[in-house]
Amino acid sequence: MELKNAIVLVFDGLHNGFSGAYGNAGITTPALDRFACDSLLCDRYYADTLNLSRLCREYWFGIPAVEPETGTVPPTPSLPARLREKGYRTILLTDDSEVAYDLYADGFSEVHRIDATAPKHSAASLEESRFFRMFATAIDLVTQKEEPYFLWVHFKAFAGPWDFPNEYRDEQVEEGDPEPYSGTTVPRFDDRSADAEPDPDVLRSVVETYTAGITVLDESLAGFLESLQSGELGRKTLCVFTGARGFSMGEHRLIGLPEPGDLWGENLHLSLLVRFPEQNDGQRMVRTSALTQPSDLYTTLIEWFDHENDGDGHNLVRFLTDEDAPIREEIRIVGDSKIRAVMQSDWFFRVRTETDEIRGTRQEIELYAKPDDRYEVNEVADRCEDVVDEFLAK
């Protein structure tokens, strides 16, 4: 049996509204768009947690976030541990120490950590940026030995230092615009305590620099894909592009990374592109609107490597022949200790539960119509009491 390879690229803080593949015609992402043209694109892929450790458990063990954590490694071997036993190089490359030293990362035979200390100044060129250096390291890792590999790259990305070169920032500025955000620390502006929207000039300056970062990512991805496709191992490689958490761009009066309870579309609705090698023409540019979640990526990978699926996810290969095949009715989403949510094809239900000795238990209930209300702008719980009752009955 011919051995296969796989590369998974995970980007933290990636807002899926900032790429052409997901409908933004105002941003140029040619490399990502080409990648999407050769891939299965999951249009309704949602994280079921904003907790990185739980997400890693789901990716590598197939355990959905709704299952409680025990503080110990699950008894069944992880995906990288299984592949290591079969003779694969199982490699974790990351610039996020939280992921590098995570409880669930023990199954990797190699862990390579790149320092993500915030620089005082932006990078002088594309080649000096974090994105470019991470991609270059990834290529070095899979080309230094002629043996099968499973490479997982977790980019801190927009959750890490914003070192995007100034020339890329300046390209985003139009006449009358404010200056782009010039810092290297991740911006955060939280106006939720006040009944006001973020300052439009502040938001615009952050968007300019964030878009510059998207361009740096895309140009770095172009070089990575070119290097990968030029080698024999690359032509036998399944490649995944996805996100870990989103990034708020003024939605719900927040600019910045989400907290665990920020269960909103801008943070949960993520990119997921899966490119299978040697696809025929009918298996390219395929989009599915089925509800998908991180456990489906685990199942897809475990079956790609010819292991029996032991998780609750579904193999995404099915969408290459039937892009509308339903696989689940809902995704249960875990927030902090007070907030839970459920995503369905037609509805997004969110409930916050508060309990104290004097007032007892109180629930703040929100309901949004999907998929039209992409970022939960119009709350309709008081107009759809029957739908709310159905959710509460569960």
Side-chain angles (χ1 to χ4, degrees):
M1 181 179 64
E2 184 180 39
L3 294 177
K4 305 173 182 177
N5 310 301
I7 296 176
V8 181
L9 307 172
V10 182
F11 299 85
D12 200 1
L14 184 63
H15 193 302
N16 89 331
F18 278 73
S19 73
Y22 278 86
N24 192 325
I27 297 178
T28 303
T29 52
L32 183 55
D33 294 347
R34 287 196 301 272
F35 186 91
C37 286
D38 290 334
S39 302
L40 165 69
L41 186 151
C42 296
D43 212 18
R44 302 195 67 189
Y45 173 69
Y46 292 92
D48 52 1
T49 179
L50 297 175
N51 179 288
L52 282 182
S53 185
R54 283 199 177 197
L55 182 64
C56 289
R57 185 187 66 166
E58 187 164 1
Y59 276 145
W60 300 330
F61 288 88
I63 302 174
V66 72
E67 297 293 333
E69 286 193 294
T70 63
T72 60
V73 177
T76 55
S78 66
L79 170 59
R82 294 182 187 192
L83 294 175
R84 184 176 62 186
E85 291 176 359
K86 291 181 65 175
Y88 279 81
R89 293 179 65 207
T90 55
I91 312 162
L92 172 61
L93 169 65
T94 184
D95 56 351
D96 191 329
S97 58
E98 182 179 349
V99 173
Y101 300 116
D102 189 84
L103 170 70
Y104 305 113
D106 283 347
F108 289 95
S109 57
E110 304 174 31
V111 177
H112 299 265
R113 180 174 172 241
I114 292 180
D115 183 33
T117 302
K120 294 182 180 180
H121 306 286
S122 59
S125 64
L126 173 69
E127 292 74 17
E128 294 181 17
S129 67
R130 285 190 312 117
F131 277 129
F132 191 93
R133 289 186 288 114
M134 281 281 286
F135 277 118
T137 303
I139 285 295
D140 288 342
L141 287 172
V142 299
T143 57
Q144 63 186 216
K145 296 179 182 179
E146 290 292 325
E147 59 187 25
Y149 60 82
F150 173 61
L151 172 64
W152 193 283
V153 188
H154 181 99
F155 294 79
K156 205 166 185 180
F158 298 96
W162 284 27
D163 69 339
F164 323 128
N166 288 334
E167 61 179 295
Y168 287 82
R169 305 183 193 219
D170 294 340
E171 288 174 357
Q172 308 304 323
V173 181
E174 298 179 359
E175 186 176 354
D177 283 347
E179 290 296 312
Y181 173 73
S182 59
T184 57
T185 57
V186 182
R188 184 175 178 84
F189 300 92
D190 191 343
D191 294 311
R192 289 178 293 186
S193 60
D195 189 17
E197 298 298 323
D199 184 321
D201 283 345
V202 171
L203 177 58
R204 178 59 193 165
S205 70
V206 172
V207 168
E208 289 168 348
T209 301
Y210 190 95
T211 305
I214 292 292
T215 304
V216 172
L217 187 162
D218 192 76
E219 292 187 10
S220 302
L221 176 66
F224 170 80
L225 294 176
E226 183 179 350
S227 298
L228 183 66
Q229 291 168 345
S230 64
E232 181 62 28
L233 290 180
R235 286 191 288 273
K236 297 184 291 186
T237 300
L238 180 151
C239 196
V240 176
F241 180 103
T242 190
R245 298 173 294 185
F247 193 96
S248 294
M249 283 295 185
E251 305 96 341
H252 304 98
R253 301 199 295 273
L254 173 67
I255 300 173
L257 286 167
E259 296 175 350
D262 292 333
L263 304 185
W264 304 110
E266 63 270 18
N267 303 318
L268 299 168
H269 191 182
L270 306 175
S271 303
L272 177 59
L273 305 171
V274 184
R275 193 185 70 180
F276 298 90
E278 301 178 354
Q279 293 170 250
N280 61 46
D281 290 342
Q283 296 174 330
R284 292 184 172 90
M285 298 184 67
V286 177
R287 300 179 78 103
T288 178
S289 58
L291 291 176
T292 51
Q293 66 182 56
S295 59
D296 298 327
L297 180 54
Y298 168 85
T299 297
T300 303
L301 290 166
I302 205 82
E303 295 188 7
W304 164 255
F305 287 114
D306 300 312
H307 281 271
E308 182 178 353
N309 175 35
D310 59 351
D312 295 327
H314 300 268
N315 193 335
L316 299 173
V317 171
R318 69 178 63 197
F319 297 122
L320 297 181
T321 55
D322 185 0
E323 60 265 30
D324 294 321
I327 59 174
R328 62 172 52 84
E329 294 182 354
E330 64 185 28
I331 297 173
R332 291 184 290 166
I333 304 170
V334 180
D336 57 22
S337 60
K338 300 176 181 179
I339 298 176
R340 298 290 185 272
V342 179
M343 180 67 69
Q344 294 183 347
S345 295
D346 298 327
W347 301 104
F348 178 59
F349 176 77
R350 188 177 187 271
V351 58
R352 179 185 180 93
T353 304
E354 297 275 2
T355 302
D356 61 51
E357 294 180 357
I358 299 176
R359 290 179 290 183
T361 299
R362 296 173 293 111
Q363 290 184 323
E364 298 176 8
I365 294 169
E366 299 168 63
L367 184 70
Y368 302 91
K370 292 293 179 178
D372 295 339
D373 192 354
R374 185 170 184 176
Y375 297 121
E376 296 87 44
V377 176
N378 299 304
E379 204 281 310
V380 297
D382 59 345
R383 286 175 277 167
C384 304
E385 293 182 0
D386 56 334
V387 177
V388 171
D389 288 342
E390 288 180 14
F391 276 110
L392 291 176
K394 294 183 177 184

